[in-house]
Structures are given as C-alpha cells and as structure tokens.
Amino acid sequence: MVDGFGPGRILLVTGKSAMRKSGITGKIIQELGPERVAVFDQVEPNPSALTVDRGVEICRREKSGLIIGLGGGSPLDSAKAMAALANNPGQAWEYLEGKELKHPGLPLIAVPTTSGSGSEVTPFSILTIPEKHLKFSLRHPILYPRVAIIDPLLTVSLPPRQTAATGLDVLAHALESLWSKNHQPLAALFAERAIELIFLHLVRAYRSGDDPAARIGMSEASMLGGLAISQTGTTAIHPASYPLTFDFDFEHGLACAIFIPSFFQINRPAIGDRLARLLRILDLKNLESLAGKIQTLMRELEAPIRLREIGVKEKDLSQLAERGIGKSTALNPVECRREDLEKILKEIF
Ligand SMILES: [Fe+2]
C-alpha cells in the first residue's frame, strides 16, 4: 500500500520509547526497507509546537514524501501537524494562533496503538505552546490522515491505567458529540454505538489487556468516537481538561472523565430527546440509571473523581477555570461561562 504513494522516502513519527521497546517500530522499518525510512521518535506526551517544527525540519531535510504516524494520540497528532506543515511555510505556533493552512500537506498513514484519541480519523491536532501554559487545537480538513490502519492487536500491551484513560477519552468524545450544539444524525449513530461498545468492553480491556474481543470492541469504539467528533467537534469538557493535563501531568482521558458526571447533570435538561434514544439503545430505564452506569464505570476503572486526588489545591481553581474555557466551550448545549466552570471545579475538588 505504501508504494501507492510513490517511491519516495518515508518519515516514521512515534513516541519516545514504547513503540521501540515493543519492537513494532523495528518491524515497520524492516518491512518498508531501512534505506527509505527516517525515524522521528521524540514525541512527548502533550506534544509541543516545537516538536512539530523539529519533525518538519527532518521531513524537509530527508525529502520525505509520506509520513507514517505510529502510537497514541500524541504521536498521531504530531505526525498530522508535521504532514500539514511540510508544505506550508512558518512555524507550528503561528498556525495554532490562527495562520491559515493554504497548501495540501504530505500524505499521512495513521497507525493507532491506543484506543482513545480517534486521531486517526479526525481533522484535529492538539498541541501545546509551553510558554503560554496552554494546549491549542489545530483544525483543518487537510489534517485528515489519508489512511488509518486500525489493528486492535497493537493495543494489547497497553497498561491498565492507559487503557482506562484512553477508553474514558472515547466516552467523552461520544457524549460531547451527542450533546454538542453541532449534533447531527450520522455523528449520533457513531457516538451511540461507541458508548454501547465502551460499556461492553472497557472494563474487560482494563482487567484483561490480552482479551482480543475487548480490544477489538474498544478499537471500534475509538474509531467511532473519532468519526463522531470529526463532524461535531467536542464541547466544554475538552478545553476544561487541558489545564489539568498541562499543570498536573494528568492523563488526557482521565482529565476529561473527571468532568463527565458534572456536565452530564448540567446538560441533561437540554438534550432529553437524544438521551432518551441512548437509554433505549442501552436498555436503561431513566437518566439516573445512565448517570449511575457512568459512575460505576469510572469506579471500576479506578479513575480519579476528585481534583484533590491529582494534587490540585483549592487556590488553583480560579485560574483553572480561567484557562479552561476554549473555542469548543461555546458548543456545550448549556452555556458554560468562566464562573460556571469554576463552580464545577469547586464541586469536584
Ligand atoms: Fe480527547
């Protein structure tokens, strides 16, 4: 398949060590031919704009004609931004701050090794600008990977905590897509099925990582969650989570999940019709049973439910609220201003 993109050189973008340790990187390089592959394996969690610039530099120097992103959301998001910027002048931070991507990027093949971000099927790349202490979202259709290779077997070695974190990220994607002001019927089908699969498979994948049926179910859920948000975007939960990942090294999916119960309560009066459909699909009687099911899931996955558990202090709440409002907050079905978010932060403190 790779040859369909021409005989040129390939840049393989991946995380710092996990993929090399597991031997997958080596296998891919051997398969493609070591002479045509350059490797950028310096992607950190919550990758910075600078990491993308370094990758683009290698890509240009090596005259790569194709990029392969391998790993979780961070390597995939970085690879997508590198592919886009390879043909667009300037630095990554300029595009995060609004510069327009004008030229089509290099073709990209995305190979996820976690079941969470859905990045392999979305037009987003989430990057940080460390000096600003913030995460930014690059959004553009040219960021869609040309090909996504979703092999659930690549996720079997994911440790339990990362399985829980990435799986709960999928739950946030599906719920946010479903209740977004941008909601639409096709995305709703994807989101509903993703939620159904999460309740069926996530706890099993967490407890028995090598259970293929559970990993297949979560890979499908992740892809569907990604397809759902690729149409609707996320809402208030994702921007609210970013300062927690940035300041407290709290995993992205867990940082989203900690807000799910509160936003579920706040949003439910505005989305009764959509939740009623979801209740029918999940064979649940009422919204209380769904809220209870979400809480049980978080408990079984040992996901933190209080901010103090991850080291947040009461004095941090005001600035977390200030920095937790982003572009997609406006898509929340119920208005969420800075003071509303601060109230939620106090509740879950
Ligand atoms: Fe996410």
Side-chain angles (χ1 to χ4, degrees):
M1 181 230 292
V2 165
D3 292 332
F5 292 103
R9 291 183 57 74
I10 298 163
L11 179 68
L12 177 63
V13 178
T14 187
K16 281 187 172 164
S17 63
M19 288 305 102
R20 202 172 276 279
K21 271 187 208 149
S22 68
I24 296 169
T25 308
K27 275 186 206 154
I28 291 178
I29 295 170
Q30 279 314 312
E31 190 67 32
L32 296 173
E35 66 291 342
R36 46 183 310 213
V37 183
V39 179
F40 182 85
D41 59 0
Q42 297 299 309
V43 179
E44 71 279 33
N46 305 313
S48 73
L50 217 56
T51 299
V52 171
D53 293 332
R54 285 167 55 213
V56 170
E57 209 178 293
I58 296 172
C59 186
R60 289 190 184 135
R61 192 176 67 219
E62 296 283 332
K63 299 190 170 44
S64 309
L66 170 70
I67 296 186
I68 298 177
L70 169 74
S74 298
L76 297 192
D77 280 4
S78 302
K80 286 158 71 177
M82 289 172 199
L85 265 67
N87 289 341
N88 284 281
Q91 292 181 299
W93 68 264
E94 299 172 59
Y95 292 93
L96 290 171
E97 293 199 341
K99 186 170 172 174
E100 198 189 338
L101 287 163
K102 287 192 176 154
H103 310 287
L106 290 179
L108 174 95
I109 299 177
V111 188
T113 60
T114 64
S115 297
S117 70
S119 178
E120 67 276 9
V121 291
T122 72
F124 315 130
S125 169
I126 315 294
L127 301 168
T128 59
I129 300 183
E131 311 85 73
K132 298 206 165 182
H133 303 281
L134 273 180
K135 276 184 159 186
F136 290 84
S137 166
L138 198 60
R139 296 157 185 239
H140 197 285
I142 72 165
L143 289 166
Y144 274 115
R146 199 72 64 85
V147 175
I149 300 175
I150 303 169
D151 179 354
L153 290 180
L154 292 177
T155 67
V156 294
S157 58
L158 199 65
R161 186 168 166 108
Q162 278 161 274
T163 300
T166 48
L168 286 169
D169 188 24
V170 184
L171 183 62
H173 294 164
L175 285 171
E176 287 185 85
S177 177
L178 206 58
W179 68 42
S180 167
K181 280 184 183 167
N182 275 349
H183 72 96
Q184 46 112 311
L186 187 62
L189 288 176
F190 295 148
E192 287 159 358
R193 178 65 180 149
I195 294 169
E196 202 178 7
L197 287 166
I198 291 164
F199 285 129
L200 284 173
H201 296 292
L202 180 52
V203 173
R204 272 171 61 201
Y206 174 69
R207 291 187 183 149
S208 319
D210 55 359
D211 179 336
R215 293 299 191 180
I216 290 168
M218 283 312 299
S219 286
E220 193 181 327
S222 172
M223 177 191 70
L224 292 170
L227 287 170
I229 54 168
S230 74
Q231 302 306 305
T232 60
T234 56
T235 60
I237 287 182
H238 267 66
S241 79
Y242 294 155
L244 294 180
T245 56
F246 199 93
D247 295 357
F248 300 93
D249 270 342
F250 193 31
E251 293 94 328
H252 168 69
L254 296 177
C256 289
I258 208 164
F259 290 104
I260 289 177
S262 305
F263 275 102
F264 184 82
Q265 294 302 336
I266 291 166
N267 289 342
R268 54 188 249 185
I271 47 165
D273 52 333
R274 274 162 276 157
L275 286 181
R277 216 180 108 91
L278 183 62
L279 291 179
R280 277 201 301 281
I281 291 166
L282 298 173
D283 199 20
L284 294 171
K285 285 197 175 60
N286 50 39
L287 289 174
E288 279 62 44
S289 359
L290 178 55
K293 208 171 163 66
I294 291 171
Q295 267 155 5
T296 306
L297 176 71
M298 288 183 60
R299 205 169 35 245
E300 289 188 308
L301 297 171
E302 297 168 271
I305 52 168
R306 296 270 163 214
L307 295 171
R308 66 184 75 202
E309 292 176 60
I310 57 158
V312 176
K313 301 275 182 281
E314 207 165 356
K315 65 174 172 54
D316 300 324
L317 301 181
S318 168
Q319 58 90 11
L320 287 174
E322 184 76 46
R323 291 155 62 220
I325 302 288
K327 271 191 216 151
S328 63
T329 309
L331 295 174
N332 203 61
V334 172
E335 190 183 14
C336 177
R337 295 156 303 176
R338 185 205 163 284
E339 52 271 33
D340 302 315
L341 182 57
E342 188 165 352
K343 199 166 155 233
I344 292 172
L345 288 161
K346 280 182 182 156
E347 271 166 25
I348 61 173
F349 175 68

